Amino acid sequence: MSDRIAPASVRICVTLVATLAALATANASPAPTAPAVPAAAPTSLDAGAAARFAALALKCLHQEYPNHISHTLNGDADARPARELTPAFYGCLDWHSDVHGHWLLVRLIRQFPDAPFAGEARAAVARSLTPPNIAAEIAYLRAAGRVSFERPYGLAWLLQLAAELRRFADPEARAWYATLAPLETEVSARLESYLPKLHYPIRIGEHDQSAFSLGLMWDWAAVSGDAHMRALLTDAAQRFYRHDRNCPLAYEPSGEDFLSPCLAEADFMRRVLAPSAFAHWLGDFLPQLPRGRSGSADLTSWLPPGVVTDRSDPKLAHIDGLNLSRAWMLEGIAHGLPPGDARITALLATAAKHAAAALPAVTGEHYEGGHWLGTFAVYLTTQAGLHPDR
């Protein structure tokens, strides 16, 4: 999948380098001249930005309070603090953010093994991923009344964490993966049981959305070799999305979205369909996509970045995440098209505009965004959704 359209991959890398330069300028640091980035570049995230994003996860990974817990009480004995209920993943305000905070650190350790933050990051991950902690996580999931716990978003991120560890040829990471593997098995089995029973897609802009999580699951299945999961996801794509037409993108965003229902669906379908079939499907699904070259009229006005009015509000701050996720989804859609498709230029230009609007806001000034936006920034700038096998 990663080699479908090398020209688009080149443009994606260049776009992200330019965006990171804009981020550096916004932080009052002189922006260095970006070197040419080859098509096979594993990342367009520089070490300085990686350190900033790692610091956000390190700050919250084991910070229990404040804590927004989603917890079913089966009796008085269940009235316990999060560090006892889910001892591996209890920080970063909520379970799913703590899970993907671990993913962030593992991904950055893998890509920047000699960075100054790597030692602290390794210690933080090792503190969490112990056999007793993972055994407790499994016991928590299996308790009565928790069949829907963190489904699908948090569970899909757990699979992403497992996939990142699977790819990491490092002795310590191998040990972490061996520790996490029983929880990975539990989570994948839960999702594989759930998908055939989900009769309708969930088309919202927050955690319960189907499409984004299906994309994370698809990428995990590529790394793990889980053919059964791939078959279930292919079936879901056919049932939920194959015949969708004219997605109402003009109705987006809702006021608290951090995922685009329309773009997430297209970003999932480009994984499932071959480029020619995807190009045809996309024409029916998003007919408003501009077709043109860089010298033509403005190619980004069809989808302006979302406006954030208060970054200290935990729900209104979601819009920064929306801009980041839109950026990687737009790049993913471009990546799924055949070379030379006339829509690629507009998709990448619009992705760059969204990234430029959102990356400077990933500062950690407000915990409401700082506990999770670093993950979205790393997912975007390391092209995690484009190259799941790297």
Side-chain angles (χ1 to χ4, degrees), residues 188-189 191-193 195-196 220-221 225-235:
S188 62
L191 291 171
E192 289 177 358
S193 173
L195 285 174
W220 169 81
D226 190 320
H228 182 53
M229 177 69 88
R230 273 290 178 94
L232 290 173
L233 293 168
T234 301
D235 176 69

Side-chain angles (χ1 to χ4, degrees), residues 349-362:
T350 308
K353 191 168 186 177
H354 278 74
L359 282 170
V362 187

Side-chain angles (χ1 to χ4, degrees), residues 40 51 70 78 85 88 117 136 176 180 188 211 213 226 242 270 279 342 357:
S70 176
D78 283 336
L85 296 168
F117 63 79
W176 294 335
L180 186 69
S188 62
S213 291
D226 190 320
R242 189 68 172 87
R270 60 93 179 168

Side-chain angles (χ1 to χ4, degrees), residues 64-65 67 69-90 95 132-141 143 146 149:
E64 186 174 11
Y65 299 108
N67 200 306
I69 190 168
S70 176
H71 175 50
T72 299
L73 292 147
N74 294 306
D76 289 354
D78 283 336
R80 292 184 286 152
R83 66 180 180 274
E84 296 179 10
L85 296 168
T86 57
F89 308 115
Y90 62 82
W95 193 88
N133 286 353
I134 297 305
E137 294 280 346
I138 294 171
Y140 183 83
L141 285 177
R146 297 187 185 131
F149 176 76

